[in-house]
Amino acid sequence: MHLGVDSFVSAVTDPATGHLVGPEERMEHLLEEIELADRVGLYSFGIGEHHRPEYYDSAPPVILAAAAARTSRIRLGSAVAVLSAADPVRVFQQFATLDLISKGRIDLVVGRGSFTEAFPLFGLSLADYDELFAEKLELLLQIRDSERVTWSGRHRPPLTGQGVYPRPLQDPLPIWVGVGGTPESFVRAGLLGLPLMVAIIGGEPRQFGPLIDLYRRAGAQAGHAPEKLQVGLHVFGFVAESTRAAADTIYPGWHEMFEKVSRERGFSPPSRAQFDATSGPNGAFFMGDPDTVAEKLVRIAGQLGGVDRISLQMTNPRLAHADLLRGIELLGTEVAPRVAASA
């Protein structure tokens, strides 16, 4: 089971000084974080895609290109690319180019996104939410499988045999499907034989077991080999010297993030008790000292029938750069070896 980090590149206010880290400084911090993840042996680093003022990740391929030029081993990818709001031709071209720059270290994780700002921004209707993704995923896969493509659909002009360039170093370019909790999404990924990245942001991870089983059954029934049906998890997490330190470091920013989302969506405001429960042994947050986080990673992976990779999403608007660097270091030097030893 491989471990990595995902980032939404949130705007950050330093908790000690109250200094608002500007976009230029935040990008430099981000590249330092990715370089450190590479040095300490983590398997992957993913960049999300949002079109909101509190995040600086609206152009993931640009960030990933800078990261590819400053790293040598770590796999780099999207977490996730909002394919519904993009042109599959351009998405493929961008990530194929990234694959060449990185010498074959790119994973393209595509999804519909958990926020909706991209749809009006790019002139799309939320009424077409699922159809957009299904159609564009179909085209993306055709482009991956064939240099020249003949295709037509509702949401993009047809292709009549044009070539799509460049071609990536990896053949085929790894394309994962990012999913939430919709059974149809798990089935679709299984039928297509695509690896699955499951976003777990609440509840208990073991509750996703039946959905992952559904994915594997759909894939098997479609004739796909078990080794093609990889499963990854995208989860909130943080590692510190102690479990209490991890929780106290992360909670202020977590409360700020989820209070804003709760207001937007009409939910009750989050509480510390809710945070602590979700950070507990069976909760969705992987929070604590290295032993606690490693044990939970191994246990949850077993409950889900085996997991190929887990990425800890450490975005937090009140997390100091130094604390985040230490969390990445502990994940790579302390947690990852414990997880590997348990295999």
Side-chain angles (χ1 to χ4, degrees), residues 11-21 25 29 317-323:
V12 173
T13 299
D14 187 286
T17 65
H19 165 65
L20 178 62
V21 178
E25 185 180 6
H29 286 175
R318 295 279 171 178
L319 180 59
H321 179 49
D323 290 334

Side-chain angles (χ1 to χ4, degrees), residues 31-49:
L31 293 173
E32 290 175 13
E33 293 152 16
I34 299 173
E35 286 182 287
L36 176 62
D38 186 43
R39 287 200 305 273
V40 300
L42 286 170
Y43 184 76
S44 63
F45 203 108
I47 300 294
E49 178 187 343

Side-chain angles (χ1 to χ4, degrees), residues 3-338:
L3 300 185
V5 175
D6 285 342
S7 176
F8 294 166
V9 200
S10 63
V12 173
T13 299
D14 187 286
T17 65
H19 165 65
L20 178 62
V21 178
E24 180 182 5
E25 185 180 6
R26 181 68 188 93
M27 285 294 177
E28 184 56 36
H29 286 175
L30 173 68
L31 293 173
E32 290 175 13
E33 293 152 16
I34 299 173
E35 286 182 287
L36 176 62
D38 186 43
R39 287 200 305 273
V40 300
L42 286 170
Y43 184 76
S44 63
F45 203 108
I47 300 294
E49 178 187 343
H50 299 84
H51 302 272
R52 298 168 60 89
E54 67 266 35
Y55 300 121
Y56 301 137
D57 62 351
S58 64
V62 179
I63 298 171
L64 293 169
R70 293 171 64 158
T71 56
S72 60
R73 296 179 300 171
I74 196 167
R75 293 194 66 82
L76 302 166
S78 51
V80 301
V82 184
L83 184 62
S84 305
D87 181 351
V89 173
R90 290 300 285 155
V91 170
F92 185 86
Q93 290 175 325
Q94 290 164 348
F95 280 83
T97 303
L98 280 169
D99 202 50
L100 298 174
I101 294 170
S102 69
K103 298 181 173 60
R105 293 185 285 125
I106 293 297
D107 291 299
L108 173 53
V109 186
V110 297
R112 296 179 293 187
S114 59
F115 293 98
T116 61
E117 287 81 7
F119 289 84
L121 183 62
F122 297 110
L124 302 168
S125 172
L126 278 171
D128 298 324
Y129 184 76
D130 191 63
E131 184 180 323
L132 279 164
F133 181 74
E135 181 178 293
K136 292 185 176 188
L137 179 59
E138 174 193 307
L139 175 55
L140 180 66
L141 294 175
Q142 286 195 31
I143 295 169
R144 180 180 73 165
D145 295 341
S146 178
E147 182 177 315
R148 294 188 174 276
V149 179
T150 299
W151 175 93
S152 64
R154 284 191 60 223
H155 300 285
R156 189 201 186 281
L159 293 173
T160 57
Q162 295 95 327
V164 179
Y165 307 106
R167 308 308 294 181
L169 181 61
Q170 297 179 93
D171 184 17
L173 180 72
I175 296 177
W176 295 61
V177 177
V179 299
T182 306
E184 292 80 5
S185 298
F186 287 79
V187 170
R188 174 165 48 208
L191 292 175
L192 292 170
L194 295 174
L196 186 77
M197 184 61 69
V198 186
I200 300 178
I201 60 174
E204 296 189 0
R206 62 186 174 188
Q207 294 173 332
F208 285 82
L211 291 170
I212 292 173
D213 289 342
L214 186 63
Y215 159 72
R216 290 176 170 138
R217 288 200 305 272
Q221 290 169 5
H224 298 296
E227 59 269 20
K228 286 188 66 177
L229 303 174
Q230 298 180 68
V231 175
L233 306 181
H234 163 96
V235 300
F236 281 104
F238 188 68
V239 191
E241 310 295 343
S242 71
T243 296
R244 181 59 184 265
D248 289 348
T249 300
I250 290 298
Y251 176 73
W254 175 87
H255 184 270
E256 180 178 312
M257 283 193 300
F258 280 87
E259 185 179 44
K260 181 172 184 177
V261 172
S262 296
R263 283 199 310 268
E264 291 176 357
R265 301 185 180 182
F267 300 154
S268 300
S271 67
R272 179 63 190 251
Q274 179 185 355
F275 173 83
D276 288 338
T278 310
S279 303
N282 297 313
F285 298 167
F286 289 69
M287 201 85 62
D289 62 81
D291 282 327
T292 298
V293 174
E295 184 278 330
K296 186 171 182 177
L297 288 167
V298 172
R299 178 166 46 82
I300 295 300
Q303 290 174 352
L304 298 177
V307 171
D308 297 279
R309 64 172 72 176
I310 300 182
S311 295
L312 272 62
Q313 202 279 95
M314 295 189 182
T315 294
N316 190 294
R318 295 279 171 178
L319 180 59
H321 179 49
D323 290 334
L324 180 49
L325 289 175
R326 181 58 176 156
I328 291 171
E329 181 181 16
L330 288 171
L331 185 64
T333 62
E334 300 289 339
V335 178
R338 286 167 167 80

